[in-house]
Amino acid sequence: MSNPYPAGRNALYRLYDSKGVLLYVGISCYPNERLKEHAGDKPWWHHVARHEISWLDSREEALMAEAKAMVEERPLYNGYHHLGRGWPQKARKYDDTAERAAVHEGMRSALERGGYKPGTYLQAAAVGRQFGVSASIAFHALHELVDAGVLIWRQRRFMVPR
């Protein structure tokens, strides 16, 4: 079996909110691509105001630096799934209830007013930007609208009914 990680340098990245609170620490050979992945799947992503990237010479060095940063700096959204059973902190679950409800109600209202033409496809990332939330929160809110019969889920996309 081949090594899935390219040999050489690895990045240690830190994600901060606007007040400088450390939200998350991670490592990647391709940090810019990894940040794009986080933007799509982390419900707390819209709180990220800045990131820092430090390059290390090997994956092993990056893993050690990541573990040290998690223990010493206590990022909000890293948890024991990163370091195993001995890690004393569970990953904090981000409560998106209010944000999801705001997107749900805002989109329902816009659809009822005819704000979107029938047949229009909606992208979670664009809706998230419109409401100032992450794409994952918008995605879940749009799925709630599908469940309520307000939107249609067609070919893995959200569509305004005709």
Side-chain angles (χ1 to χ4, degrees):
M1 180 175 231
S2 66
N3 185 352
Y5 306 106
R9 300 180 77 204
N10 277 247
L12 170 70
Y13 58 90
R14 291 175 174 85
L15 306 175
Y16 297 91
D17 72 8
S18 62
K19 295 178 183 172
V21 174
L22 181 61
L23 301 175
Y24 192 83
V25 174
I27 60 172
S28 177
C29 301
Y30 308 103
N32 292 326
E33 287 78 11
R34 186 67 178 129
L35 295 179
K36 289 176 190 172
E37 291 173 0
H38 286 323
D41 67 10
K42 301 296 185 202
W44 45 261
W45 180 260
H46 60 288
H47 291 288
V48 176
R50 69 180 175 90
H51 65 272
E52 294 176 355
I53 297 175
S54 304
W55 286 96
L56 301 160
D57 290 330
S58 69
R59 180 142 184 97
E60 293 73 27
E61 189 178 344
L63 285 165
M64 290 189 317
E66 178 188 38
K68 182 178 179 188
M70 283 192 279
V71 169
E72 293 178 1
E73 300 171 44
R74 299 286 186 187
L76 288 180
Y77 299 115
N78 288 91
Y80 63 64
H81 61 278
H82 286 83
L83 295 176
R85 289 183 174 267
W87 177 245
Q89 171 182 319
K90 286 188 176 184
R92 186 174 293 171
K93 175 131 174 66
Y94 182 78
D95 183 4
D96 66 356
T97 306
E99 293 158 321
R100 192 185 298 195
V103 174
H104 180 103
E105 289 309 311
M107 288 300 297
R108 179 185 285 275
S109 176
L111 290 161
E112 288 171 356
R113 287 190 322 268
Y116 295 93
K117 292 180 182 177
T120 300
Y121 285 101
L122 302 172
Q123 294 181 337
V127 171
R129 284 191 298 275
Q130 178 183 344
F131 287 90
V133 300
S134 68
S136 68
I137 289 173
F139 183 86
H140 291 294
L142 292 171
H143 258 296
E144 290 171 359
L145 291 168
V146 169
D147 293 342
V150 177
L151 290 175
I152 296 170
W153 179 247
R154 179 171 291 156
Q155 298 173 343
R156 301 177 50 119
R157 298 190 293 178
F158 299 102
M159 188 178 88
V160 178
R162 295 186 188 273

